[in-house]
Amino acid sequence: MHLLSIRELSTEQIQEILALAKELKQIALSGGSLPDLSGRVVGMLFFENSTRTRVSFEQAARKLRMDVTSFGIMGSSMAKGETLKDTVLTLKHEGIDSLVMRHHASGAPYLAARFFEGPVINAGDGMHEHPTQALADALTIIESKGTIQGLNVAIVGDVQHSRVARSNLWLLSKLNANVRLVGPLTLMPRHTGMLPASVHYDLMTGIKDADVVMALRLQKERMNSGLISSLGEYASLYQINERSLKAAKPDCIVMHPGPINRGLELDDRTADGKHSVITQQVENGIFVRMAVFVTVFREKSSVEKTTKVRRLHSETQKEEQAPAMGKKSS
Amino acid sequence: MKVVLRNGRILDPSQNLDVVGSVVIENDQITEVGEKVREEDADVVYDCTNLWITPGLVDLHVHLREPGFSHKETIITGTQAAAAGGFTTICCMPNTNPPLDNPALIDFILDRSASPEAGGIFVAPIGALTRGMDGEHPADLAALKRAGIVAASDDGFPIQSSQVLRRCMEICHQLDLPVATHCEDKTLTEGGSMNEGAVSAVLGLKGIPRSAEEIHVARNCMLSLDTGCPLHILHVSSWGSVEIIRQAKALGAPVTCEVCPHHLVLTDEQMVPFDTNWKMNPPLRTQLDIEILLQALTGGDIDCISTDHAPHAKYEKDVPFEEAPFGIVGLESAVGLILTFVTHKGYLSPLEMIRKMSTRPAEIFRLDAGTLKPSRTPVAQVAVIDPEVEWVFDVNKTFSKGKNSPLHGMRLKGKTLLTFSGNEVYRDALWDESRLQMGYPVGRK
């Protein structure tokens, strides 16, 4: 099994991963015995800089006693012109069991999955998806609110370029939340008809009665391409702060996938304030990634087991047939 | 050598001919067409009962990739693929390396396509509109015309400057040379890899908006009206473009346009996410676009059908979607696709289908093709099509080097079985050999 997107997961699969993550967290915090995936080698293939996601995956792998190999792209064969396909094929034959991959192109992990035998886990691809971030967010919401069903969740900011938004909106809607996308027209996809969410261009309308307010990171370079007129104007219209949060429910939680542009998407007091669950998101990231490793390898193990059983079965049949054929010929 | 194609449904739009009859080819030329012909002394008779006998098809938009990109396609493999599709005349685009911007390269194309290994069909080169296809300096168009180009285009590298295009069109008008344009405002499409719409929003891929095509369609039509230069608009994909072209024609602009089979059949919603075999430019649009394109094809606002056959090597497509080159192969699937999804569905009569795929394109670039009239083409150009045969398109069994097609595995109804360019240049495996009488001509299987 690969984990390439939330959109392609069933609600049951999502719930299973979340339940497993919750269980693993309890075991870890109580000092219990965690699943042992020793002997498995996971390759960290990051084509974009990402300290927090990479470290989170590494931590998750180590807690499960997996071996971790990281590939720096600078100075690698890829920097020398090797294709992604060839890199993946090489890693496959070098004994890597699973790939955690981040890539600047949407859908790149799909290509890797075509050529890599073991599980490929998408750690963020272009503007497409960031499934494990959404799973971490979901676990955090459940811990705070008890459930996701029926919650009003506002995802605020640069939706167009956000893989976090594109994973979260599917996950949250599959678990029956009311998802709202909030942001300026220039940072919103132009055609949102297939996205399971309502669209709001006004912040106060968008976060009205919200149980969860999820701010997205704004890439400052967007300003240079004319998508926003100025950082100050963006902050004045879309910043999550004490004033704007008055529109949301009093017990709402504030989330951010990090790293935060303090004073832009969130003001300082909100980032560190009573509504913020940002550090919890980071912590939960490790447990959902552990759950994902266990899930994908469990699937792989069951496939291996089935293959083994089939092989044994066919060998037994051969053995049974051989003497019979011998009898016939005699 | 006398060849008779007997008892087929003769579809020749150049004569408004739709009758059951026979076609006689003597010494590589059509000598008789009609219900009653002289079959005596025939060396070979092909029984074409329940088959169509049509003028060889004409494709105004083919990428043969040579020189420079022979790992994608060569003139030899490209012409073989064309013959297998029923095409007897194809126009090759100039975006090779180097681009077709000087007479020596036009000579090269003509020589190579006439070689014995090639498909035996005619290649009519399209010259570069600007030098090196740089979009800035008009090429030496008079010399290119003397060398044999039939039109000029910077396809794939659309001229962004209106002033430069206007100058080029003035020159071409004076030379009586049609200009063909790929319509794309690059400032709106930078980084885009599929249609901008609901699907691109889901997949997180930067979209290519319709307006990028429509703005250039409108601009180019106005420049055609302004300069009087015949303008052929390549691969129309958007319903808005159709409306603009209709208006331009009504204003008296000498404008024609084409549509590709895939834009009449496939939508962005059908694409397999991130499968680069679905990546093309213009991109697949929506069902609404398809419906309006089909109406325009039926009504005559769209003049002809071209394939935009764009082969790429497998390794070039085995990359992330955003990094893959645009384009799909089309020569060998065009007839099946158009029959299955356009003609059999009643959008075009058989005669109109052949008009759009043979007679009309020949008229647009003034080619000696697209007719069964005796001695009107350099040699007999004929296709024999079975409109009812059902088959599965297997891209791995095609002559083209390019295997990049989203149609692989698609069940189609209708196929070219024989192609004649003078003599037989293609015979399909589905051709029933018992239909051949009195000898067996040599042909490629």
Side-chain angles (χ1 to χ4, degrees), chain A residues 25-39:
Chain A
K25 186 173 181 179
Q26 282 166 356
I27 295 170
L29 295 180
S30 65
S33 169
L34 288 164
D36 185 350
L37 293 181
S38 54

Side-chain angles (χ1 to χ4, degrees), chain A residues 122-292:
Chain A
N122 181 3
D125 60 328
M127 307 190 299
H128 177 226
E129 285 218 30
H130 193 351
T132 54
Q133 178 67 45
L135 288 162
D137 294 348
L139 183 61
T140 308
I141 295 171
I142 291 168
E143 285 177 347
S144 299
K145 297 290 178 186
T147 181
I148 286 175
Q149 179 149 353
L151 295 182
N152 296 323
V153 182
I155 301 176
V156 182
D158 183 1
V159 178
Q160 164 68 355
H161 301 96
S162 174
R163 50 195 171 212
V164 173
R166 272 189 190 78
S167 274
N168 261 304
L169 65 89
W170 289 109
L171 190 153
L172 294 166
S173 67
K174 279 173 194 250
L175 297 184
N176 296 319
N178 306 309
V179 183
R180 304 164 186 173
L181 305 176
V182 188
L185 189 61
T186 51
L187 297 178
M188 192 65 71
R190 288 293 298 274
H191 305 266
T192 52
M194 284 171 70
L195 301 178
S198 58
V199 177
H200 303 265
Y201 301 112
D202 173 61
L203 177 65
M204 301 310 273
T205 314
I207 65 172
K208 188 172 187 317
D209 296 329
D211 299 284
V212 178
V213 177
M214 192 180 283
L216 300 171
R217 179 175 163 79
L218 184 77
Q219 302 287 335
K220 288 183 182 174
E221 59 269 24
R222 304 271 180 240
M223 193 177 73
N224 298 330
S225 59
L227 287 171
I228 54 173
S229 33
S230 72
L231 294 177
E233 184 168 294
Y234 178 83
S236 75
L237 292 171
Y238 293 100
Q239 187 183 81
I240 306 302
N241 51 37
E242 285 187 338
R243 182 181 56 81
S244 54
L245 277 181
K246 281 180 183 157
K249 284 189 180 163
D251 62 344
C252 75
I253 57 171
V254 171
M255 310 180 84
H256 192 291
I260 307 167
N261 289 307
R262 281 181 185 258
L264 187 56
E265 303 107 18
L266 302 174
D267 74 342
D268 235 5
R269 293 174 72 175
T270 306
D272 303 326
K274 62 177 182 178
H275 297 289
S276 172
V277 292
I278 294 167
T279 51
Q280 208 175 318
Q281 283 175 269
V282 176
E283 188 187 12
N284 283 336
I286 297 169
F287 299 112
V288 297
R289 284 164 185 132
M290 287 167 72
V292 167

Side-chain angles (χ1 to χ4, degrees), chain B residues 34-35 45 48 73 102 110 120 135 207 233 309-310 326 330 340 344 351 369 392:
Chain B
E35 292 167 86
V45 177
C48 295
E73 190 80 286
N102 72 69
L110 294 173
I233 294 174
H309 176 79
F326 291 101
T340 308
H344 289 321
L351 192 65
V392 174

Side-chain angles (χ1 to χ4, degrees), chain B residues 34-106:
Chain B
E35 292 167 86
K36 289 207 185 327
V37 299
R38 288 178 303 105
E39 288 190 12
E40 300 84 49
D41 309 325
D43 297 293
V44 187
V45 177
Y46 294 82
D47 177 10
C48 295
T49 305
N50 297 324
L51 305 179
W52 294 356
I53 305 172
T54 78
L57 306 180
V58 178
D59 194 341
L60 299 185
H61 193 161
V62 173
H63 296 273
L64 290 179
R65 303 299 190 201
E66 204 179 350
F69 303 111
S70 51
H71 62 288
K72 297 172 191 269
E73 190 80 286
T74 63
I75 292 168
I76 288 170
T77 56
T79 49
Q80 288 174 351
F87 294 92
T88 53
T89 300
I90 58 172
C91 300
C92 65
M93 284 295 171
N95 56 334
T96 49
N97 185 21
L100 306 184
D101 67 352
N102 72 69
L105 289 166
I106 304 303

Side-chain angles (χ1 to χ4, degrees), chain A residues 7-8 83-85 103-108 110-111 114-115 125 127-128 166 170 189-195, chain B residues 196-207 210 269 273-276 314-315 317-323:
Chain A
R7 186 171 62 91
E8 291 167 351
T83 65
L84 174 59
K85 174 188 166 183
H103 200 278
H104 46 80
S106 297
Y110 285 73
L111 180 81
R114 266 174 60 202
F115 298 106
D125 60 328
M127 307 190 299
H128 177 226
R166 272 189 190 78
W170 289 109
R190 288 293 298 274
H191 305 266
T192 52
M194 284 171 70
L195 301 178
Chain B
E196 182 183 273
V199 181
S200 67
V202 168
L203 297 180
L205 289 168
K206 190 167 184 305
R210 280 188 188 76
E269 282 191 40
F274 308 113
D275 182 342
T276 55
K314 190 171 181 299
Y315 72 86
K317 283 280 194 179
D318 278 343
V319 295
F321 194 84
E322 291 167 76
E323 295 165 15

